[in-house]
Amino acid sequence: MVGWAVQETTSFVSRFVEGLTAPKGVVDFLVLSFMLFAVGVLGVLSRRNVLIIFMSIELILNAANLNFIAFTRHWQAMGRISENMGHIFVIFIIVVAAAEAVIGLGILIALYRNRQTVAIDEINLLKW
Amino acid sequence: MLKLIWLIPALPLLSAIVLGIFGRTLRLSEKTISWIACGSVFLSLVLSIGAVYEFATSYWPAHGRPYLSREAGGFPHAFTWVPGGEARLTWGPEAGTTVPLRIEWSYQLDQLSAVMILVVTFVGFWIHVFSIGYMRGDGGFYRFFAQMNLFMFMMLVLVMSSNFLMMFVGWEGVGLCSYLLIGYYFHWNYAAYASKKAFIVNRVGDFGFLLAMFAIFSLFGTLQFTEVMELAKSDAYLPQEAFGMWGLASWIALGLFIGATGKSAQIPLYVWLPDAMAGPTPVSAFIHAATMVTAGVYMVTRTNVIFQKSPTMMFVIALVGVVTAVWAASMGFTQTDIKKVLAYSTISQLGYMFLACGVGAFAAGIFHLYTHAFFKALMFLGAGSVIIALHHEMDMRRMGGLARVMPITYRTFLAGWLAICGIPLFSGFFSKDEILWRTFSTEVIPGGRWLWLLGFLGAGMTAFYMTRLVALTFWGEPRFVVAGGSGALHEHGAHPGHEVRESPRVMTIPLIVLAVGATVSGFIGWPESLGGTNRFEKWLEPVIWHRAPEQGALVSAGAHAQAHSAMEYVLMLASIALAAGVMYGCAILYLRRRDRLEAIVRAIRPLYVASANKYWVDEFYEGVFVRGLALGLSRLSWRVDARGVDGGVNGSAWMTVFWSKVSGWFDLYVVDFIVNAIGAMMRLFSTVFRMAQTGFAQNYALVITTGLFLLTALYLILSW
């Protein structure tokens, strides 16, 4: 039993290390990107604090960024493209995200001044 | 002078305007007003004489047709007065064609209007002069003369008009002035009533005149006298009718004659004239004796072509005329008001004029019009002089014996009396005898002898009532009580006539002039049977139509050379004898044998009462037409108005209210229901769907995410 557990653990670790050190294909990046995206979405859906939700949104954006980078690298490796096309989008997204964060935080501060709260479930007036 | 004839009516009009507008505001003195009023009429008289002289001596011999002011150049000789549009003719040979309805304002001078303007301006001028004395001290002095001048203008327009419409203007204008002057003492109820009566009764006649005028235009397409009469002579336009036939000519003539009966106070429209005596006496003399009331005779003569086409209407005219003459004379027997007697006398004499027209002796009718204007104006003015002298006493029972006190009035009055009674050498003799002889010998209509008999009877009656008037007024014992004040009444009661004196010269001179006229004016028509030439009839010859004998059995009465049978002399002598006998008998009865007179009156008491009450014709008209017809009609139309029209109005109001209630209900319960139902449905559905709208941002995010996953899954499944 213990031997099985050690064996399994050892095997897992070795495969993990192997995986860490193995050359990375596009799928690896996509998996990571998906993870980031999933973490972001869950954060958006489940957290009450608007600040955390902002952060989660940043995660979602960066998941997209990672996709861009990964595919650019992939397509360059495949010899299909030569330019760093995806990088340009990434730069854009970072800039837009920064701007969005500024505005969002500004709204948040104004909201806090009025309502003394940043809990999103208490901000529910905009309905029928 | 001919070119100046537009001035003849214009001058009195100018004077009327000046006096009417400025007479009161400028506080013109009586002297100024008199000068303006009489001066304008005098200028008209001078112009008339000059124009007629020129017409007779140079224009007519050169041209042989009426002078129309349209034909001369220069200041307003004629202008298009009514520029109408196209009008469609409905009768005659040109039926269906359209002609322009263009009516001009122009004056026509021919033999007939020459006689009329001379009579109107001459008699009018002297009556104006008389009025200065009669109206002295009256508060409405300027008003009186303004209206008299206006009347003068209207009368001159009437007789100088060149077409029917202009004549109608004058016709209505003289009616208006008559109304104004009858109601001159408008504060006196009876005068106001009498003026209204005159005006309304005249309207009845005017209606006939209008209808005839419409018919004339729709037949001939023109209203000019010269053109209408020329066309009317042809049988194509107006077929000659035989006696007893009733055709187009008869209808037109009937309309015209109804107009004439109104204006000239013939049966059945004579009732206004006796009441018209409520006006000042010069008005009665001028308007209701000498000029306006003769307009009907003038009009019938002016349109004699149309009348001659219809012997039926000629007979009607003659009959109406002669019956009026006798009827009115019989009412004159018993009147006690001196002016009423003269009024009935006027009606009676007008009847003679119509009798003359009816038997085809139009010239004789105009001749009587002309002599009558003198002697009747004279007698009215004489009566006015008496009335003024007696301080507005008009009842003959309180007169008498005035011959000694008022010698000039008396003597001039005698001239009028002899003239109207038909004493030889006085004007009335010539004209009345002419009419009676023409009636007796007429070939235009049957029954001339019977008509003559009635006319003869009427002449005797005329002699009776006029002699009665003279006897009661001027002869016998004075019965008047006149005093300067109420205190003097008793004091001088024993000396009646003390205060009564002859009228001033401004009144007696017109009397003298007119008396001369009444005496000598008949000489111009001295009949051929008495060795004269009857220049009056020859003068009027061109105006009177003479039908060529071969065209029908109708022989024109004026033109043929009548054999002066012995009959004419017999009839003449008979009328002279009758007149003289009646005058003598009447004088005896009233002066010496009052007992016999009273016995006679007792014997014929019902007739006396009937005559004194004017045969209750006024009451009959009052009952039948005023109360019965007019009041009944007004009641009926009131009822129609109250029940029918008001019912309709109220009914439609009720319907409106009813429908508005119905549609209000519909709006409230149907339209609003639909709208509300739609709203309610929206509300119902929205309660379900709006549940999705929670307001929690994370809910929305969850939906988005779910959708993302679902879409991705769908994509994967589909691209499997």
Side-chain angles (χ1 to χ4, degrees):
Chain A
M1 180 70 190
V2 176
W4 175 78
V6 170
Q7 190 183 354
E8 282 298 306
T9 307
T10 311
S11 145
F12 176 77
V13 170
S14 66
R15 272 188 284 140
F16 184 75
V17 171
E18 188 185 349
L20 282 178
T21 54
K24 303 294 182 293
V26 69
V27 176
D28 303 315
F29 290 107
L30 288 182
V31 169
L32 179 59
S33 169
F34 178 73
M35 286 170 153
L36 278 173
F37 181 77
V39 170
V41 167
L42 286 175
V44 166
L45 290 181
S46 58
R47 301 305 297 250
R48 290 178 67 215
N49 195 323
V50 177
L51 274 175
I52 306 298
I53 290 173
F54 267 125
M55 291 177 193
S56 305
I57 290 171
E58 292 306 315
L59 283 183
I60 292 170
L61 289 171
N62 283 324
N65 285 349
L66 192 56
N67 257 3
F68 276 115
I69 301 293
F71 275 107
T72 306
R73 183 168 171 275
H74 175 65
W75 290 123
Q76 278 176 345
M78 298 283 286
R80 299 271 288 273
I81 56 169
S82 55
E83 305 87 355
N84 296 331
M85 290 172 70
H87 298 71
I88 297 167
F89 281 103
V90 170
I91 300 296
F92 263 109
I93 288 169
I94 289 171
V95 170
V96 169
E100 172 249 312
V102 168
I103 293 169
L105 289 173
I107 292 171
L108 195 64
I109 289 167
L111 194 65
Y112 184 78
R113 281 183 184 156
N114 278 312
R115 306 283 306 267
Q116 277 77 41
T117 180
V118 290
I120 198 162
D121 56 344
E122 290 175 26
I123 307 167
N124 62 351
L125 283 181
L126 189 62
K127 58 184 177 185
W128 45 269
Chain B
M1 283 295 214
L2 272 181
K3 289 194 175 185
L4 292 179
I5 61 170
W6 62 273
L7 273 172
I8 297 174
L11 287 170
L13 176 65
L14 186 69
S15 163
I17 291 170
V18 168
L19 293 181
I21 294 176
F22 304 112
R24 190 191 188 90
T25 48
L26 296 187
R27 295 178 193 285
L28 299 177
S29 68
E30 289 193 359
K31 200 170 178 182
T32 322
I33 293 171
S34 310
W35 273 104
I36 294 174
C38 299
S40 68
V41 177
F42 181 73
L43 284 178
S44 286
L45 172 61
V46 171
L47 282 169
S48 306
I49 293 171
V52 171
Y53 179 79
E54 189 181 332
F55 175 76
T57 52
S58 61
Y59 189 86
W60 179 261
H63 298 89
R65 58 183 159 80
Y67 172 80
L68 272 171
S69 63
R70 146 164 50 106
E71 291 155 10
F75 187 66
H77 286 293
F79 54 91
T80 302
W81 171 40
V82 180
E86 297 285 307
R88 182 181 293 272
L89 303 187
T90 46
W91 283 317
E94 289 180 49
T97 57
T98 54
V99 293
L101 171 64
R102 190 174 300 119
I103 294 163
E104 64 181 35
W105 186 279
S106 62
Y107 296 115
Q108 177 175 342
L109 187 66
D110 60 3
Q111 285 80 0
L112 182 57
S113 44
V115 172
M116 291 305 290
I117 61 173
L118 288 180
V119 169
V120 169
T121 51
F122 183 80
V123 176
F125 170 68
W126 289 110
I127 292 173
H128 270 75
V129 173
F130 181 88
S131 307
I132 298 172
Y134 189 88
M135 300 304 290
R136 174 164 295 151
D138 194 288
F141 198 80
Y142 77 95
R143 181 162 59 92
F144 177 84
F145 277 100
Q147 290 168 3
M148 285 287 267
N149 275 328
L150 186 64
F151 171 81
M152 187 64 123
F153 163 71
M154 290 299 182
M155 190 68 205
L156 287 167
V157 167
L158 198 165
V159 297
M160 289 169 69
S161 56
S162 68
N163 56 56
F164 281 96
L165 198 62
M166 257 181 89
M167 187 190 209
F168 192 69
V169 169
W171 192 268
E172 293 299 308
V174 292
L176 167 73
C177 296
S178 162
Y179 163 80
L180 290 172
L181 284 162
I182 296 169
Y184 177 77
Y185 301 117
F186 52 79
H187 43 79
W188 178 27
N189 247 345
Y190 172 65
Y193 160 79
S195 60
K196 272 185 290 184
K197 183 175 180 182
F199 202 72
I200 292 165
V201 172
N202 266 299
R203 293 284 77 66
V204 179
D206 295 341
F207 186 61
F209 189 7
L210 268 179
L211 290 183
M213 195 155 72
F214 298 154
I216 285 168
F217 187 82
S218 57
L219 174 61
F220 300 110
T222 173
L223 288 178
Q224 287 294 114
F225 288 134
T226 46
E227 294 165 16
V228 168
M229 292 314 143
E230 212 45 56
L231 293 175
K233 284 173 189 169
S234 87
D235 277 350
Y237 277 91
L238 209 56
Q240 176 68 45
E241 291 165 14
F243 182 74
M245 269 175 63
W246 191 268
L248 190 52
S250 298
W251 279 115
I252 296 177
L254 178 68
L256 292 172
F257 183 60
I258 288 174
T261 54
K263 195 59 77 188
S264 291
Q266 296 296 293
I267 289 173
L269 299 179
Y270 68 89
V271 289
W272 64 271
L273 188 56
D275 285 315
M277 297 301 125
T281 310
V283 171
S284 309
F286 189 28
I287 300 181
H288 305 118
T291 54
M292 184 189 84
V293 289
T294 62
V297 183
Y298 165 78
M299 188 255 273
V300 170
T301 309
R302 173 60 81 202
T303 56
N304 67 79
V305 180
I306 296 171
F307 280 92
Q308 290 194 45
K309 289 275 183 165
S310 167
T312 322
M313 267 313 292
M314 293 286 272
F315 185 75
V316 169
I317 295 174
L319 194 65
V320 166
V322 77
V323 169
T324 306
V326 173
W327 179 263
S330 74
M331 286 187 275
F333 279 177
T334 52
Q335 299 303 313
T336 52
D337 185 322
I338 185 169
K339 286 178 71 181
K340 286 271 165 78
V341 177
L342 290 173
Y344 282 110
S345 165
T346 305
I347 299 174
S348 176
Q349 299 303 310
L350 288 164
Y352 278 107
M353 297 175 207
F354 278 105
L355 172 64
C357 293
V359 298
F362 294 97
I366 294 293
F367 187 38
H368 196 54
L369 184 163
Y370 153 80
T371 57
H372 174 259
F374 287 103
F375 62 71
K376 188 52 67 64
L378 164 66
M379 283 192 287
F380 261 115
L381 295 189
S385 176
V386 168
I387 288 165
I388 281 290
L390 296 179
H391 300 275
H392 292 279
E393 176 60 66
M394 298 188 196
D395 194 332
M396 290 192 296
R397 288 170 298 189
R398 290 198 285 274
M399 292 181 183
L402 284 170
R404 285 187 300 279
V405 201
M406 308 177 70
I408 301 176
T409 305
Y410 169 60
R411 283 179 204 150
T412 52
F413 203 96
L414 279 188
W417 170 56
L418 294 170
I420 196 174
C421 291
I423 295 304
L425 297 185
F426 288 91
S427 58
F429 165 74
F430 296 105
S431 54
K432 190 182 284 185
D433 220 59
E434 179 84 8
I435 291 174
L436 287 178
W437 168 240
R438 282 290 161 76
T439 308
F440 187 83
S441 64
T442 184
E443 291 163 25
V444 177
I445 55 171
R449 291 174 189 217
W450 296 105
L451 294 173
W452 171 84
L453 192 63
L454 278 173
F456 184 69
L457 188 68
M461 292 161 83
T462 307
F464 185 87
Y465 67 72
M466 285 314 300
T467 313
R468 170 178 175 268
L469 189 151
V470 173
L472 285 177
T473 309
F474 293 103
W475 298 338
E477 288 304 306
R479 295 181 299 279
F480 48 86
V481 181
V482 175
S486 57
L489 192 84
H490 305 292
E491 204 173 311
H492 298 286
H495 310 285
H498 181 76
E499 302 265 339
V500 178
R501 57 177 73 89
E502 181 59 279
S503 300
R505 249 188 300 174
V506 71
M507 288 161 80
T508 52
I509 288 174
L511 287 176
I512 293 166
V513 172
L514 289 173
V516 171
T519 310
V520 304
S521 66
F523 294 156
I524 198 171
W526 197 294
E528 289 167 18
S529 54
L530 292 179
T533 50
N534 204 346
R535 294 178 62 182
F536 193 88
E537 188 173 324
K538 288 211 167 48
W539 166 253
L540 280 180
E541 199 77 341
V543 184
I544 314 294
W545 181 52
H546 301 299
R547 192 167 181 78
E550 66 273 13
Q551 277 181 286
L554 194 80
V555 181
S556 61
H560 63 159
Q562 194 110 37
H564 301 299
S565 60
M567 202 58 179
E568 188 172 352
Y569 299 104
V570 171
L571 294 183
M572 201 180 288
L573 285 174
S575 21
I576 296 168
L578 178 74
V582 168
M583 284 159 81
Y584 180 73
C586 178
I588 294 294
L589 275 179
Y590 272 89
L591 294 177
R592 306 257 169 81
R593 305 293 303 272
R594 292 296 290 229
D595 51 333
R596 286 289 297 279
L597 181 69
E598 277 151 23
I600 295 171
V601 168
R602 265 197 302 280
I604 56 162
R605 179 130 197 101
L607 282 177
Y608 181 87
V609 173
S611 165
N613 285 301
K614 301 168 276 185
Y615 303 114
W616 299 283
V617 169
D618 276 342
E619 285 76 8
F620 174 73
Y621 281 1
E622 177 81 13
V624 173
F625 293 110
V626 178
R627 297 222 176 277
L629 206 63
L631 211 62
L633 264 178
S634 75
R635 285 231 175 92
L636 183 70
S637 47
W638 173 78
R639 192 155 294 174
V640 169
D641 189 52
R643 303 275 158 79
V645 179
D646 284 8
V649 170
N650 290 340
S652 67
W654 186 86
M655 279 302 283
T656 310
V657 169
F658 176 75
W659 272 113
S660 72
K661 275 183 180 157
V662 168
S663 56
W665 183 88
F666 183 83
D667 193 50
L668 198 61
Y669 293 102
V670 177
V671 179
D672 281 9
F673 172 76
I674 293 170
V675 172
N676 287 338
I678 292 170
M681 237 151 67
M682 292 299 158
R683 193 183 265 272
L684 190 67
F685 287 128
S686 72
T687 48
V688 176
F689 286 113
R690 76 183 172 199
M691 286 176 171
Q693 201 87 356
T694 56
F696 292 109
Q698 282 167 327
N699 274 4
Y700 312 147
L702 181 60
V703 170
I704 293 168
T705 315
T706 313
L708 180 67
F709 276 109
L710 286 178
L711 285 174
T712 312
L714 190 66
Y715 172 74
L716 290 177
I717 290 165
L718 288 179
S719 60
W720 191 270

